[in-house]
Amino acid sequence: MEGLTVVTTLRYEGEHRRRLETALAGAEILRFDSPDASGFDQALQRADVAILAKDPDQRFFSVPRLRWIHVDHAGLNRAARPEAFRPGLIVTGSAGRSAPVLAEHALFFALALAYRYPVFLDAQRAHRWGVPDQDQLRGLYGRTIGIVGLGNTGKELAVRAKAFGMRVLGYRRRATEPPPGVDQLFSADAGDGLDTLLAQSDFLVLVLGLSDATHHLIGAHELGLIGPNGYLINMARGPVVDEAALTEALYEGRIAGAGLDTFEVEPLPRNSRLWDAPNTLITPHVTPAVPDRTARSLDIICENIRRFQTGEPMLNRLTQEDIYSHDVR
């Protein structure tokens, strides 16, 4: 990075900080606690690279000298504005650093829904032995999971679902060989829609990115295909699902239940009907961390520093397909 200026808001310390500095050897490194700190605007005007803890605001896209922005988290829909794609600017993120536990989180929802765990917990607290229809329960073994999005998290989930003995269907944009664990692959490139996957899935798991193309990807029609015996699990972003349609489907029993970690408005408003929807599990957009998350972030950042210098394709780069022009709430 000889001769370049790097502005960063990462608060790495100790060995993590030393590793980043080593990767940036030769660069002038300007550190700030946040983009609102005194002197940040002046530093940004002469920066070639910005490595950020949080999403960039409009200022970053209007700096002509800036050539690369890295955002140290996974979902970049807040950064994927049309102005982020000006010539000469690269925007990347840290997708994949938490993929193993995001996959676990999806399976936590699937297991809890299949085992009707909230009902059993209520019975335990009431000191009551058993619940109605408990003999009708079915586990995950032998059932079908449909995974929409086969990026880092989707691929981790496919392997884990296969270990449970599930039939695994996958959907992605690109027509490729099925990743490990995927029994049947559907793709947009091959002209496949979602209908077949939805109709066959006992559990539909969303782990795809949010873009204009995926906004409200799951609406009333798709929920109807999931049907009264199927479950929806959303580990993507809230606006991938038409939340009003989902709420009605849950209350009317048109799907069996849902596991939701993301919502159209966050925090979920206290008056949202989803809080009390039947057979619905809610977590507040939080997943347990992998024990080495910062190190995993650094793996991505350091590899991208190397690629930036050599002109190789960057990891987790935003493309025109990722544009999200809707309001982010």
Side-chain angles (χ1 to χ4, degrees), residues 3-311:
L4 299 182
T5 298
V6 178
V7 62
T8 181
T9 58
L10 296 183
R11 297 187 180 185
Y12 292 170
E13 297 296 340
E15 181 56 35
H16 295 138
R17 179 168 177 159
R18 286 189 290 273
R19 184 180 170 194
L20 180 61
E21 289 173 346
T22 299
L24 292 172
E28 178 187 17
I29 304 173
L30 305 175
R31 298 181 179 278
F32 295 87
D33 288 339
S34 83
D36 299 320
S38 175
F40 183 87
D41 284 347
Q42 292 85 346
L44 181 61
Q45 290 301 316
R46 59 189 190 87
D48 302 285
V49 174
I51 303 177
L52 308 174
K54 295 183 179 179
D55 295 287
D57 57 39
Q58 188 60 43
R59 290 175 294 172
F60 290 84
F61 304 127
S62 59
V63 177
R65 178 167 171 169
L66 199 59
R67 296 161 52 196
W68 171 32
I69 300 170
H70 183 87
V71 187
D72 192 26
H73 60 72
L76 297 185
N77 47 280
R78 291 179 182 272
R81 319 304 289 179
E83 55 268 26
F85 299 94
R86 67 162 171 78
L89 179 63
I90 296 168
V91 181
T92 61
S94 291
R97 65 178 185 176
S98 297
V101 290
L102 287 165
E104 289 177 11
H105 196 148
L107 284 172
F108 155 75
F109 276 143
L111 284 165
L113 290 164
Y115 282 72
R116 295 178 60 209
Y117 179 68
V119 178
F120 280 98
L121 183 58
D122 288 342
Q124 175 184 335
R125 288 171 172 165
H127 299 189
R128 186 176 66 251
W129 185 256
V131 301
D133 299 322
Q134 63 187 29
D135 293 336
Q136 305 303 313
L137 294 175
R138 286 187 58 198
L140 300 186
Y141 179 82
R143 302 180 83 179
T144 298
I145 185 170
I147 304 172
V148 182
L150 287 170
N152 297 292
T153 300
K155 287 186 283 191
E156 295 277 2
L157 177 57
V159 172
R160 286 158 176 76
K162 181 52 64 178
F164 275 86
M166 302 186 79
R167 175 174 174 246
V168 181
L169 309 179
Y171 187 93
R172 72 185 323 168
R173 284 190 299 211
R174 302 287 175 254
T176 63
E177 288 297 312
V182 176
D183 296 300
Q184 185 174 1
L185 179 67
F186 302 87
S187 74
D189 280 356
D192 299 323
L194 280 175
D195 286 10
T196 301
L197 179 145
L198 294 172
Q200 295 184 25
S201 296
D202 298 300
F203 297 87
L204 178 72
V205 183
L206 305 175
V207 284
L208 71 166
L210 175 61
S211 66
D212 285 349
T214 64
H215 181 88
H216 284 192
L217 180 71
I218 305 299
H221 169 75
E222 291 75 22
L223 293 165
L225 291 172
I226 294 171
N229 296 314
Y231 298 91
L232 172 71
I233 295 171
N234 189 6
M235 298 298 301
R237 288 293 183 266
V240 170
V241 178
D242 181 339
E243 202 165 279
L246 172 62
T247 303
E248 293 305 314
L250 287 165
Y251 275 94
E252 294 174 8
R254 287 186 279 113
I255 66 171
L260 307 173
D261 185 54
T262 60
F263 305 89
E264 289 196 300
V265 176
E266 296 181 356
L268 185 64
R270 291 178 61 86
N271 63 353
S272 171
R273 296 176 67 214
L274 281 175
W275 288 110
D276 300 307
N279 301 321
T280 300
L281 302 176
I282 287 174
T283 52
H285 204 154
V286 62
T287 292
V290 292
D292 56 350
R293 189 174 75 167
T294 300
R296 290 168 65 89
S297 279
L298 272 167
D299 288 343
I300 297 166
I301 294 169
C302 292
E303 175 62 15
N304 267 346
I305 290 171
R306 186 192 70 78
R307 293 182 181 214
F308 179 74
Q309 295 177 93
T310 60

